């Protein structure tokens, strides 16, 4: 276990369904992220939360709706998705205030493999 | 803005041979550079990072990388490949320790027995 747990690991949904992805970390980190990983493309940063506040929305379509109720939990609510949204969705977390060490290292979960039919 | 280019989407080496995965970066500020590894059905795991200290960085599992400013490179090497090294490797760059990492497209490493 990496310290970041994602559920479900696999999800198949129709375009009219509503589902949610869950991410949980108990590393004491204060920043959480959603990334999208598609074949042959760089990882795409979707959302960033710092201390439960959204600080980054990388032009993500509104059919993806994030929620961060506390610093340990992050959700990605999905509705009316398209087949091109099929991908591996990775959650990550990191501590803040690491400027003195020069790098803010991310810890990733194992991902949720989403297939949209 | 920062970017990375990983040369070669697929690399195959024989077990026991040298592993060399290439990464070139572009950054308008002094960069922080990372290599992450992704094993099948898993998330990304940090291998090593460069944060403006020593230019030769040693990571886990016998991997190391050297920061070469003149060549804007941060290539990943391992003297002797092991079957367990088969995975996808991602180079990433950020600036000034902020949370935005820019990833490369990845290099899939195959080890030939």
């Amino acid at each position: 276990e990496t310290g970041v747990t994602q559920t479900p690991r696999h999800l198949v949904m129709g375009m009219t369904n509503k589902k949610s992805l869950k991410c949980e970390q108990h590393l004491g980190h204060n920043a959480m992220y959603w990334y999208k990983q598609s074949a042959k493309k760089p990882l795409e940063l979707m959302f960033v939360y710092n201390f439960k506040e959204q600080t980054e929305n990388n032009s993500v379509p509104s059919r993806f709706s994030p929620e961060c109720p506390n610093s340990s939990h992050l959700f990605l609510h999905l509705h009316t998705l398209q087949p091109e949204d099929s991908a591996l969705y990775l959650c990550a977390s990191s501590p803040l205030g690491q400027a003195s060490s020069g790098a803010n290292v991310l810890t990733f979960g194992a991902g949720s493999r989403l297939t949209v039919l | 803005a920062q970017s990375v280019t990983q040369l070669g989407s697929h690399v195959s080496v024989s077990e026991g041979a040298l592993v060399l995965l290439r990464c070139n970066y572009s950054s308008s500020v002094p960069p922080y550079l990372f290599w992450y590894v992704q094993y099948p059905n898993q998330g990304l795991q940090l291998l090593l990072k460069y944060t403006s200290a020593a230019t030769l960085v040693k990571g886990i599992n016998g991997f190391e990388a050297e920061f070469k400013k003149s060549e804007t490179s941060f290539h990943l090497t391992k003297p002797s490949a092991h079957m367990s090294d088969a995975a996808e490797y991602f180079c990433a760059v950020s600036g000034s320790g902020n949370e935005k990492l820019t990833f490369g497209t990845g290099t899939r490493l195959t080890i030939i027995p």
Side-chain angles (χ1 to χ4, degrees):
Chain A
E1 281 296 331
T2 64
V4 178
T5 303
Q6 291 187 242
T7 55
R9 293 292 308 277
H10 300 273
L11 178 62
V12 179
M13 59 187 290
M15 290 189 286
T16 58
N17 290 159
K18 291 184 180 182
K19 297 287 184 183
S20 296
L21 306 181
K22 179 182 176 182
C23 177
E24 185 174 358
Q25 61 91 6
H26 296 289
L27 300 170
H29 292 172
N30 294 306
M32 296 189 77
Y33 313 73
W34 280 116
Y35 281 86
K36 176 182 180 182
Q37 185 177 25
S38 304
K40 299 182 180 180
K41 294 177 67 175
L43 268 71
E44 300 174 50
L45 178 63
M46 300 175 71
F47 302 103
V48 181
Y49 279 81
N50 291 322
F51 294 99
K52 304 187 301 179
E53 299 298 320
Q54 186 179 120
T55 56
E56 181 85 18
N57 179 336
N58 201 19
S59 302
V60 180
S62 60
R63 57 185 184 270
F64 294 92
S65 175
E67 178 190 1
C68 189
N70 54 61
S71 293
S72 298
H73 294 85
L74 183 65
F75 295 89
L76 188 62
H77 303 301
L78 316 169
H79 61 98
T80 60
L81 294 191
Q82 304 298 310
E84 60 264 30
D85 296 323
S86 299
L88 182 68
Y89 289 85
L90 292 166
C91 175
S93 68
S94 71
L96 289 183
Q98 273 197 324
S100 59
S101 70
N104 199 10
V105 177
L106 273 61
T107 301
F108 284 84
S112 293
R113 173 74 60 188
L114 173 66
T115 302
V116 181
L117 301 176
Chain B
Q2 293 88 33
S3 67
V4 289
T5 301
Q6 292 185 242
L7 298 176
S9 59
H10 290 86
V11 171
S12 295
V13 301
S14 297
E15 189 175 15
L18 172 70
V19 175
L20 171 60
L21 305 182
R22 299 178 186 275
C23 173
N24 288 90
Y25 70 90
S26 173
S27 179
S28 56
V29 297
Y32 300 120
L33 294 157
F34 307 79
W35 276 99
Y36 281 84
V37 60
Q38 185 177 30
Y39 297 104
N41 301 313
Q42 295 187 31
L44 279 70
Q45 176 183 356
L46 181 70
L47 264 182
L48 49 79
K49 63 182 181 182
Y50 166 76
T51 58
S52 74
T55 57
L56 182 62
V57 181
K58 295 186 183 298
I60 61 171
N61 302 335
F63 284 93
E64 62 182 37
E66 185 172 9
F67 172 70
K68 292 187 176 180
K69 184 178 179 180
S70 61
E71 299 177 9
T72 61
S73 69
F74 191 58
H75 301 330
L76 182 70
T77 60
K78 181 174 180 177
S80 177
H82 191 273
M83 295 300 295
S84 61
D85 295 327
E88 189 149 19
Y89 292 80
F90 294 89
C91 184
V93 63
S94 71
S96 304
N98 66 32
E99 68 273 21
K100 290 189 185 181
L101 275 180
T102 300
F103 286 87
T105 51
T107 297
R108 184 169 298 279
L109 177 64
T110 300
I111 310 299
I112 303 167

